[in-house]
Amino acid sequence: MAAEAENVAKQVEELQVNGAAPVEEEEADTVTPWEVTTTRATGIDYDKLIVRFGCRKLDDETIARFEKVTGHRACPMLRRGMFFAHRDFNAILDRKEQGKPFFLYTGRGASSGSLHLGHLVPFIFTKWLQEVFDVPLIIQMTDDEKFLWKDMKVDDAKKMARENMKDIISVGFDPEKTFIFSNLDYMCAPFYENVVKVWKVVNTNQARAIFGFTPEDCLGKAAFPAVEAAPCFASSFPQIFGKRNDIPCLIPCAIDQDPYFRMTRDVAPRLKAAKPSLIFSTFLPALQGAQTKMNASEPNTCIYLDDTPKQIKNKINKYAFSGGQQTVEEHRAKGGNCDVDISYQFLRFFMEDDEKLLEIREKYTKGEILSGELKAMATEVVQKIVAEMQERRKTVNDETVDVFTKVRPLAYKY
Amino acid sequence: MAAEAENVAKQVEELQVNGAAPVEEEEADTVTPWEVTTTRATGIDYDKLIVRFGCRKLDDETIARFEKVTGHRACPMLRRGMFFAHRDFNAILDRKEQGKPFFLYTGRGASSGSLHLGHLVPFIFTKWLQEVFDVPLIIQMTDDEKFLWKDMKVDDAKKMARENMKDIISVGFDPEKTFIFSNLDYMCAPFYENVVKVWKVVNTNQARAIFGFTPEDCLGKAAFPAVEAAPCFASSFPQIFGKRNDIPCLIPCAIDQDPYFRMTRDVAPRLKAAKPSLIFSTFLPALQGAQTKMNASEPNTCIYLDDTPKQIKNKINKYAFSGGQQTVEEHRAKGGNCDVDISYQFLRFFMEDDEKLLEIREKYTKGEILSGELKAMATEVVQKIVAEMQERRKTVNDETVDVFTKVRPLAYKY
């Protein structure tokens, strides 16, 4: 990128951090860590979001570079634009190319006993990145956040985090290279020191501009963002990285988490720490349509990882919004609309075969495939993913969780 | 106390916590955790402060009960009103009487390499209380607070806290019954859990009303009060108290720390934890007069614990504000004013012998003792205290600090 364009982008980013340039438009999508909604059946306008948040589009050139540097073909989610934007992803590719260390960091705020398919998206992608990059991975469970935001007891928040860890471990992470922790269990001096350092360089006005907190919000809401920021700094994990703070991380996450890391990137230089890089996913839409994402608190919007094959089939048949026509005759004549069809969106996220996906798209658009048939295909793909998760889940118990949460060095070459 | 009076006092306390009843008056003394000033040469009007803060006067009846329950005569600081106010001190005496457990908690924000005489007051008193009550003592060093409030690096804040610990240990605390920690070193999951619980039940508006924070203040300032509150809850120290949260503490501290504990007392019931009790000291005045307290950042206002006998003599001779008259003749004729005389105030704090102190007061008031003579007496008493501290300080090294800061059970009978 030309130096000038880099500069402009930097300025936009700084403005965003300082909350000076929120785009006000009547139809603006709402994308915050606590709410994701749009009025469009096609879902969030991600191109507009890139401009608003001041991040970069993950373009073909960058994906090509990723493939060249890693020697791996981009996974479906990457090549199909489910991971669509980034901040400084090239800095991570530089380090990979130069053999310099970095790590992956992602997280989850446990708000239900079982994960749903939407939660799975960043974890499936992160697991793949862990294999491709061969680096340590840090997974933060924000049980403190859930306790602060929800009407929930500490013990329930902790329990939920632990149950969610079992689902996350079932994605297949390498125990030699993965440290999973919950804030309420791991909080320790090196971690707290980074929290305090972030607290010192962000004021209440700025936090309000970034996150929208009000004076009526509890103190914890203002204090918490520093706790989500701290794992970006390697020194929060001395058992893994020693005292080094020059090892950056790459954060694969849904775009709604960006405010936390805009703030973190802004403060990192003042902490003499490496800035985190980010790679952002779109949202897996709710069954009812792409106006919202799957929401664990509304069971009918989600496929849960503990749903039975029958439940999955029923939910997709009953709730998955269809882009097809009212009658078979009309559908055959006019064709369906993949861009709003949730079954098709599920296939986009989870079907491996590009050619088959393209064929489905073409045939559905022409009306050669009926909505029921498309739903059956989506059901099959989702059932397979869930079944595989459930199979691995059977091997995960409290002892497995103890392996991943033990404070220990990871297999890691400097 | 009658139930009605108790109720009224409770209402006053609640109002104070909610920030609804700050007394606005032109000549009001300023007493906050960050500033203590008055326009009066006789110092803060502590009776007015009791009304404003909504605490209780430590009256003769309560002191008599203390003596009866403990079988110890009140120490000079207690019987002379240097510890002048309290919250729920009787609840602690009840527990002592009933043989129920409680603990002592006090603290220090290290802002200089060496303590000064003013810092010593709560610690001398706390040591005496520890002996009389025979209970565990928790001492918190708020190095995080100093880092957040001052232009200071984390490592310097930590180092200062550790140096201050050596001075504090030199007061003579029992290592079997005393746990000293700095927040930046001790922060751990059980402690953090209590911090988060406090964060959840206090909002930004309330923190602003209690502490005066502004939106321009860094996030850490709003987050910190919960960190000073957390040691009030026994479960912050599972190595000592297990998971019990029904063991209350008594906090001996200067009255300027009251806002932290007004807040803590307000939230304790919502955390299903015991409310802390408090016993408040007045301030040791600065050498220049009782309009301010000794301030470590202004060396000439203080006697430091590492001052030499000569430095002590010189500082008192040069700076100690005198209540005497301009000339010897005038002094002999009119007498001196003990209430504004700093040398006399030092004797009040540190001279053991009541009769001798009374005699000095009478003779100085009549002009029979000259200012120079009074300064010499104060010098002798202060030199003795500092010399004793320095003598004990010689036996304290990093290993001694490690003994007190080790996370361990304390000798403690339930």
Side-chain angles (χ1 to χ4, degrees):
Chain A
M1 184 182 289
E4 199 186 331
E6 184 83 47
N7 263 340
V8 169
K10 207 168 179 181
Q11 281 167 26
V12 169
E13 184 166 298
E14 278 164 7
L15 278 171
Q16 297 294 342
V17 167
N18 297 324
V23 176
E24 297 287 349
E25 52 176 276
E26 228 173 289
E27 285 189 37
D29 304 329
T30 301
V31 178
T32 76
W34 306 280
E35 193 186 352
V36 176
T37 50
T38 175
T39 52
R40 271 181 294 270
T42 48
I44 304 291
D45 184 329
Y46 290 104
D47 285 330
K48 278 193 184 159
L49 210 58
I50 286 173
V51 176
R52 207 165 104 206
F53 281 12
C55 51
R56 315 276 167 83
K57 198 176 170 75
L58 195 60
D59 55 19
D60 293 342
E61 196 186 334
T62 309
I63 295 173
R65 186 174 173 222
F66 167 87
E67 293 186 329
K68 190 173 160 238
V69 168
T70 63
H72 284 261
R73 189 185 176 204
C75 67
M77 285 188 194
L78 193 53
R79 61 182 189 256
R80 287 178 201 155
M82 272 66 174
F83 279 79
F84 72 107
H86 72 102
R87 291 184 188 273
D88 265 354
F89 186 48
N90 274 300
I92 292 295
L93 296 180
D94 290 347
R95 292 186 76 91
K96 180 69 190 166
E97 209 165 39
Q98 294 157 11
K100 288 183 182 166
F102 61 95
F103 63 101
L104 294 168
Y105 160 40
T106 192
R108 156 127 190 87
S111 57
S112 61
S114 176
L115 294 197
H116 63 56
L117 216 50
H119 299 139
L120 208 54
V121 167
F123 287 114
I124 289 176
F125 183 69
T126 301
K127 176 189 179 284
W128 178 78
L129 275 186
Q130 185 183 36
E131 286 167 6
V132 169
F133 281 137
D134 189 26
V135 291
L137 164 64
I138 304 287
I139 301 177
Q140 178 187 53
M141 309 297 293
T142 57
D143 46 3
D144 48 354
E145 178 207 10
K146 289 300 156 190
F147 168 72
L148 287 165
W149 261 262
K150 307 257 174 187
D151 182 16
M152 187 185 270
K153 288 185 177 165
V154 157
D155 286 342
D156 293 334
K158 284 183 177 180
K159 200 173 158 188
M160 220 169 241
R162 202 170 164 88
E163 283 310 301
N164 274 210
M165 283 180 192
K166 293 177 186 168
D167 282 352
I168 291 167
I169 290 167
S170 304
V171 172
F173 294 105
D174 181 349
E176 298 286 313
K177 291 175 185 157
T178 307
F179 176 54
I180 307 183
F181 71 100
S182 97
N183 293 331
L184 287 168
D185 276 336
Y186 177 65
M187 183 56 72
C188 56
F191 193 101
Y192 180 61
E193 186 170 320
N194 282 324
V195 168
V196 173
K197 284 178 175 173
V198 175
W199 281 345
K200 186 169 180 170
V201 293
V202 183
N203 71 30
T204 304
N205 269 338
Q206 291 165 323
R208 188 169 183 171
I210 301 169
F211 299 101
F213 302 136
T214 73
E216 287 73 34
D217 280 324
C218 77
L219 292 176
K221 292 192 180 181
F224 173 75
V227 180
E228 185 156 332
C232 295
F233 307 121
S235 59
S236 293
F237 310 98
Q239 67 278 14
I240 302 170
F241 304 107
K243 293 191 170 191
R244 292 186 67 170
N245 237 356
D246 61 331
I247 304 177
C249 66
L250 170 65
I251 306 170
C253 63
I255 184 76
D256 61 334
Q257 297 299 299
D258 185 47
Y260 290 109
F261 304 115
R262 282 207 297 271
M263 180 192 79
T264 312
R265 286 171 53 82
D266 191 47
V267 304
R270 281 183 275 174
L271 271 60
K272 302 199 192 325
K275 273 191 182 190
S277 291
L278 291 114
I279 182 163
F280 296 114
S281 76
T282 60
F283 303 103
L284 187 73
L287 282 161
Q288 286 72 9
Q291 289 89 342
T292 59
K293 60 175 182 169
M294 283 193 180
N295 178 351
S297 315
E298 295 173 47
N300 289 338
T301 67
C302 311
I303 310 282
Y304 290 104
L305 297 188
D306 59 1
D307 280 349
T308 62
K310 197 175 165 190
Q311 282 174 314
I312 295 171
K313 187 181 166 191
N314 287 345
K315 279 186 179 177
I316 292 180
N317 279 342
K318 188 165 175 188
Y319 299 115
F321 184 81
S322 169
Q325 306 299 337
Q326 297 292 331
T327 63
V328 173
E329 293 68 33
E330 201 183 341
H331 189 79
R332 294 280 185 215
K334 297 184 183 171
N337 180 357
C338 284
D339 294 336
V340 301
D341 192 292
I342 295 303
S343 298
Y344 179 77
Q345 295 306 318
F346 286 178
L347 293 176
R348 260 186 88 210
F349 269 86
F350 300 113
M351 180 172 253
E352 283 289 329
D353 189 330
D354 287 346
E355 283 178 29
K356 200 167 160 192
L357 183 69
L358 183 64
E359 191 193 322
I360 292 170
R361 186 180 178 93
E362 287 173 353
K363 287 192 173 172
Y364 189 67
T365 308
K366 288 183 195 160
E368 291 170 18
I369 291 175
L370 295 176
S371 289
E373 290 166 331
L374 190 64
K375 285 195 176 203
M377 291 177 204
T379 301
E380 193 186 333
V381 167
V382 171
Q383 280 173 338
K384 181 164 174 282
I385 283 187
V386 171
E388 285 167 1
M389 280 289 298
Q390 289 176 353
E391 202 52 39
R392 284 189 298 262
R393 180 70 180 74
K394 283 180 195 161
T395 67
V396 176
N397 53 30
D398 280 316
E399 286 69 43
T400 324
V401 172
D402 292 342
V403 168
F404 279 89
T405 57
K406 190 180 173 196
V407 176
R408 68 204 194 281
L410 297 182
Y412 184 53
K413 301 181 294 284
Y414 277 93
Chain B
M1 182 182 288
E4 198 185 330
E6 184 86 48
N7 263 341
V8 170
K10 205 168 178 178
Q11 281 167 25
V12 169
E13 183 166 300
E14 278 165 6
L15 279 171
Q16 297 294 343
V17 167
N18 297 324
V23 175
E24 295 286 350
E25 53 176 275
E26 228 172 286
E27 285 188 38
D29 304 328
T30 302
V31 177
T32 76
W34 306 279
E35 193 185 353
V36 175
T37 51
T38 174
T39 52
R40 272 180 295 270
T42 48
I44 303 294
D45 185 330
Y46 289 106
D47 284 330
K48 278 192 183 159
L49 210 58
I50 286 173
V51 175
R52 208 165 102 206
F53 280 12
C55 51
R56 315 277 165 82
K57 198 176 170 71
L58 195 58
D59 55 19
D60 293 341
E61 194 186 335
T62 308
I63 294 174
R65 185 173 176 224
F66 168 87
E67 293 185 329
K68 188 174 161 238
V69 167
T70 63
H72 284 261
R73 189 184 175 206
C75 67
M77 286 188 194
L78 193 53
R79 61 184 190 255
R80 289 182 200 151
M82 272 67 175
F83 279 78
F84 72 106
H86 72 102
R87 290 184 189 273
D88 266 353
F89 186 49
N90 275 300
I92 293 294
L93 296 180
D94 290 346
R95 293 186 76 90
K96 181 68 190 167
E97 210 165 38
Q98 295 157 10
K100 287 183 182 167
F102 61 96
F103 62 103
L104 295 168
Y105 159 39
T106 191
R108 156 127 190 86
S111 57
S112 61
S114 174
L115 294 198
H116 62 57
L117 217 50
H119 299 139
L120 209 53
V121 167
F123 287 114
I124 289 176
F125 182 71
T126 301
K127 176 189 179 285
W128 178 78
L129 275 186
Q130 185 183 36
E131 285 166 8
V132 168
F133 281 139
D134 188 27
V135 291
L137 164 63
I138 303 289
I139 301 177
Q140 177 187 55
M141 309 297 293
T142 57
D143 48 1
D144 48 353
E145 178 206 11
K146 289 301 156 187
F147 168 73
L148 287 165
W149 260 262
K150 307 257 174 188
D151 183 15
M152 186 184 270
K153 287 184 177 167
V154 157
D155 286 343
D156 294 332
K158 283 183 178 180
K159 203 174 156 187
M160 220 169 243
R162 201 169 166 87
E163 283 310 300
N164 274 209
M165 283 180 190
K166 293 176 186 167
D167 283 352
I168 291 167
I169 290 166
S170 305
V171 173
F173 294 105
D174 181 349
E176 298 286 313
K177 289 174 186 155
T178 307
F179 176 54
I180 307 182
F181 71 100
S182 96
N183 293 332
L184 287 168
D185 277 337
Y186 177 64
M187 184 55 72
C188 56
F191 193 101
Y192 179 61
E193 186 170 319
N194 282 323
V195 169
V196 173
K197 283 178 176 172
V198 175
W199 281 345
K200 185 167 180 171
V201 293
V202 182
N203 71 30
T204 304
N205 269 338
Q206 290 165 325
R208 188 169 183 170
I210 302 169
F211 299 100
F213 302 137
T214 73
E216 288 74 33
D217 280 325
C218 76
L219 292 176
K221 292 193 180 181
F224 172 75
V227 179
E228 185 156 332
C232 297
F233 306 121
S235 59
S236 293
F237 309 98
Q239 68 276 15
I240 302 170
F241 304 107
K243 293 193 170 189
R244 290 186 67 170
N245 237 357
D246 61 333
I247 303 176
C249 67
L250 171 65
I251 306 171
C253 64
I255 184 78
D256 61 334
Q257 296 300 299
D258 185 48
Y260 290 109
F261 304 116
R262 282 207 298 272
M263 180 191 80
T264 312
R265 285 171 54 81
D266 191 50
V267 305
R270 279 182 275 173
L271 271 60
K272 302 199 192 323
K275 273 191 183 190
S277 291
L278 290 113
I279 181 162
F280 296 113
S281 76
T282 60
F283 303 102
L284 187 73
L287 282 161
Q288 286 72 8
Q291 290 88 343
T292 58
K293 60 174 183 170
M294 284 195 180
N295 179 350
S297 315
E298 296 175 44
N300 290 337
T301 67
C302 311
I303 309 281
Y304 291 103
L305 298 188
D306 60 0
D307 280 349
T308 63
K310 200 176 163 189
Q311 283 175 313
I312 294 170
K313 188 181 165 190
N314 287 346
K315 278 187 179 177
I316 292 179
N317 280 342
K318 189 167 176 189
Y319 299 116
F321 184 81
S322 167
Q325 307 297 338
Q326 296 292 329
T327 65
V328 173
E329 293 68 34
E330 201 185 339
H331 190 79
R332 293 282 186 216
K334 298 186 183 169
N337 180 357
C338 285
D339 294 337
V340 301
D341 193 291
I342 296 303
S343 298
Y344 178 77
Q345 295 307 316
F346 287 180
L347 293 176
R348 260 186 87 210
F349 270 87
F350 299 115
M351 180 172 253
E352 282 288 330
D353 190 328
D354 287 347
E355 283 178 28
K356 200 168 161 192
L357 183 69
L358 184 62
E359 192 193 322
I360 292 169
R361 185 181 178 94
E362 287 173 352
K363 287 192 173 173
Y364 190 66
T365 307
K366 288 181 195 161
E368 291 168 20
I369 291 175
L370 295 177
S371 289
E373 291 166 329
L374 191 63
K375 284 195 176 202
M377 290 177 203
T379 300
E380 193 185 333
V381 166
V382 170
Q383 280 174 338
K384 182 164 174 280
I385 283 186
V386 171
E388 285 168 1
M389 280 291 297
Q390 288 176 354
E391 203 50 41
R392 283 189 297 263
R393 179 70 180 73
K394 283 179 194 162
T395 67
V396 176
N397 53 28
D398 280 317
E399 287 68 45
T400 323
V401 173
D402 292 343
V403 168
F404 279 88
T405 55
K406 189 181 173 196
V407 177
R408 67 204 193 280
L410 296 183
Y412 184 53
K413 300 182 296 282
Y414 277 93

